[in-house]
Amino acid sequence: MDIRAFWSAVLSQDRKALPEYFCRGAVIRWHCSNERFTVEEYVRANCDYPGQWAGEIERIERTDGTVITAVRVFPKDGSASFHVTSFLRLRDGRIQELDEYWADDGRAPDWRRQMGIGTPVRGAAQEGCKQHEKSPGKPPGGLFAEN
């Protein structure tokens, strides 16, 4: 399955293309809001959501029969930002089960910032990874999003 094409269909709210990525009888679960959808309900929830969306795939991992993605999703007007971690269990090249965990992006809570610990993930230098960026081919360990 072309995971990038799937995410393109999700972000462009492509009502016609989305069902083609799923097996008949597939189950979609949004755990953070305790919702379970059929394919038809998922397509409605995704395509009828207000506004136009954009996003970027930050990470793709593949295991036997499962694709895991971490994607940043945001409205094109820049009014919000979210991350979704998705587990796509595949059968015959289509999604049989989709489990997603959505989170709002934002600042660390006050109590943790007051402790003076941690640094930003985005925009921060990643010294340990710089050596891999200069190496040809994909770095070991799946540390970077696929291109």
Side-chain angles (χ1 to χ4, degrees):
M1 183 178 123
D2 183 342
I3 194 67
R4 292 186 180 282
F6 168 72
W7 271 106
S8 178
V10 169
L11 294 170
S12 66
Q13 297 169 302
D14 190 334
R15 191 177 303 273
K16 183 177 178 184
L18 278 173
E20 298 301 315
Y21 289 97
F22 292 88
C23 296
R24 184 175 181 189
V27 175
I28 298 93
R29 290 177 285 265
W30 288 353
H31 293 270
C32 296
S33 54
N34 194 29
E35 296 174 276
R36 178 182 167 142
F37 300 104
T38 64
V39 172
E40 295 78 18
E41 292 169 332
Y42 171 80
V43 170
R44 282 188 61 202
N46 185 73
C47 294
D48 293 342
Y49 198 95
Q52 294 182 325
W53 295 89
E56 56 190 4
I57 297 172
E58 294 184 351
R59 186 169 178 164
I60 299 172
E61 295 290 333
R62 299 175 193 273
T63 64
D64 292 335
T66 300
V67 177
I68 304 162
T69 63
V71 178
R72 180 173 168 253
V73 178
F74 48 92
K76 288 185 178 180
D77 68 8
S79 61
S81 180
F82 310 93
H83 271 83
V84 57
T85 302
S86 304
F87 294 81
L88 301 88
R89 184 172 309 273
L90 306 179
R91 186 182 76 214
D92 300 326
R94 292 183 183 221
I95 301 167
Q96 179 178 352
E97 294 180 43
L98 173 59
D99 289 281
E100 292 190 320
Y101 301 84
W102 286 83
D104 296 340
D105 290 339
R107 289 174 30 152
D110 287 341
W111 68 268
R112 206 161 48 240
R113 285 186 299 141
Q114 289 170 1
M115 293 175 69
I117 61 172
T119 59
V121 173
R122 288 181 301 282
Q126 297 180 356
E127 292 298 322
C129 296
K130 283 187 177 183
Q131 65 183 355
H132 296 299
E133 292 173 359
K134 296 176 184 174
S135 302
K138 184 177 176 185
L143 297 173
F144 302 95
E146 291 183 358
N147 292 322

